[in-house]
Amino acid sequence: GFVLVPPDQKRIDVTPTAYKGESDPGPYPVPESAVIEGWPSNFKRNAKTKDLTLADVQRGKPTLDADRHGIVVDPVNRKLYEFYKLTRTDGGWTAEQASVFDLASNKLRPDGWTSADAAGLPIFPAVVRYDELKRGRVEHAMRATFRNTRKAYVYPATHYASRKTDPNLPRMGERFRLRRDEVSNPKPHPEPVEKAVALLGADPATTVYVGDSIHDMHSGRAAGVKTAAALWGPFGRTHLESAAPDFWLETPADLVALLVTRPVPPSPGA
């Protein structure tokens, strides 16, 4: 759950406790109606908690031994406020961690810093919302949680929360691609890219398809779009050279340069 607030919502103090050094300073626009993770559906469908009020849950019932995430969105000012173990007390609100995200920027948290979700990432952008389910389409990455993770993180995450080093465990920030049945022909066939371009109403002549495999490059080229090879993926330059991408991206910053500020030099012979 989350709550939307107006741009003039009163700012109040929320006292960070366990991760004060990795919390963003307040005050924060937390309203009286701030919801705690799971409210109301998870509580109302459980016979043991169905009689609890929002005020009860804000104050720690039925237990404080839970993540108790709190999410506040200020759409006008384009700010996102997220809290870990948000709790209301007689002395005011507390949270073990507080993060503030500027929705007008892609700026990451400092390297090594946690956030309300322990990966240094915001929760809200990857949550599936009711309006998306009603529309029948989710057009962004979806959050997933794992019982076991690795002592590592990958861009855009900035923090890990495990001591385990098993390489078969996912890193914080790991992204997984699920198989879909919306296309008849998977990559390297052009159909996936062609369908994406059509859904976006884009012009193939001005579209750049970013990928990290030969199949990505072949699919994009066959669809008539420019291709950009991301070298921070599992395959290196040697693997991708035979696909002759139009652009090479050494780091995510090169993608920003390509799309926003200045062109990235095309690959040799392109």
Side-chain angles (χ1 to χ4, degrees), residues 31-192:
E32 293 284 326
S33 59
V35 298
I36 305 299
E37 180 179 1
W39 179 265
S41 58
N42 283 3
F43 295 94
K44 295 304 181 183
R45 69 164 61 105
N46 188 322
K48 294 181 179 180
T49 59
K50 65 182 180 64
D51 293 327
L52 292 177
T53 65
L54 175 57
D56 291 332
V57 176
Q58 288 176 337
R59 289 182 173 272
K61 294 182 179 180
T63 177
L64 289 172
D65 188 21
D67 287 352
R68 298 180 54 81
H69 290 118
I71 300 175
V72 177
V73 185
D74 179 349
V76 174
N77 290 317
R78 303 175 75 178
K79 291 294 180 64
L80 170 64
Y81 303 83
E82 296 188 345
F83 305 92
Y84 176 58
K85 294 201 173 185
L86 181 63
T87 305
R88 192 172 190 172
T89 71
D90 291 340
W93 289 91
T94 67
E96 290 200 1
Q97 201 280 337
S99 297
V100 181
F101 295 94
D102 183 352
L103 298 180
S105 168
N106 287 324
K107 182 179 179 181
L108 302 180
R109 294 181 65 70
D111 192 48
W113 275 35
T114 189
S115 63
D117 84 336
L121 296 172
I123 297 170
F124 180 72
V127 169
V128 178
R129 302 186 301 275
Y130 173 79
D131 60 289
E132 294 171 324
L133 296 176
K134 189 80 171 177
R135 189 169 63 246
R137 182 176 295 276
V138 179
E139 298 178 313
H140 58 75
M142 293 178 283
R143 292 179 57 82
T145 58
F146 295 84
R147 186 175 298 276
N148 293 294
T149 59
R150 200 189 327 170
K151 185 182 178 182
Y153 55 86
V154 61
Y155 175 92
T158 61
H159 185 264
Y160 58 77
S162 174
R163 297 179 180 178
K164 299 176 180 178
T165 57
D166 184 345
N168 294 311
L169 294 175
R171 301 165 292 182
M172 297 297 263
E174 202 84 67
R175 281 173 282 184
F176 297 90
R177 184 179 304 165
L178 303 180
R179 294 185 62 179
R180 301 181 64 180
D181 58 5
E182 293 187 359
V183 295
S184 301
N185 302 289
K187 296 179 292 186
H189 194 279
E191 184 184 351

Side-chain angles (χ1 to χ4, degrees), residues 198-213:
L199 286 172
L200 293 171
D203 179 359
T206 58
T207 298
V208 178
Y209 178 52
V210 180
D212 58 11
S213 73

Side-chain angles (χ1 to χ4, degrees), residues 255-268:
L255 177 58
V256 176
L258 174 63
L259 300 178
V260 180
T261 57
R262 61 186 184 281
V264 175
S267 58

Side-chain angles (χ1 to χ4, degrees), residues 188-190 209 213-223 227 242-244:
H189 194 279
Y209 178 52
S213 73
I214 288 178
H215 285 346
D216 290 332
M217 301 301 105
H218 288 327
S219 182
R221 188 174 297 278
T227 58
S242 63

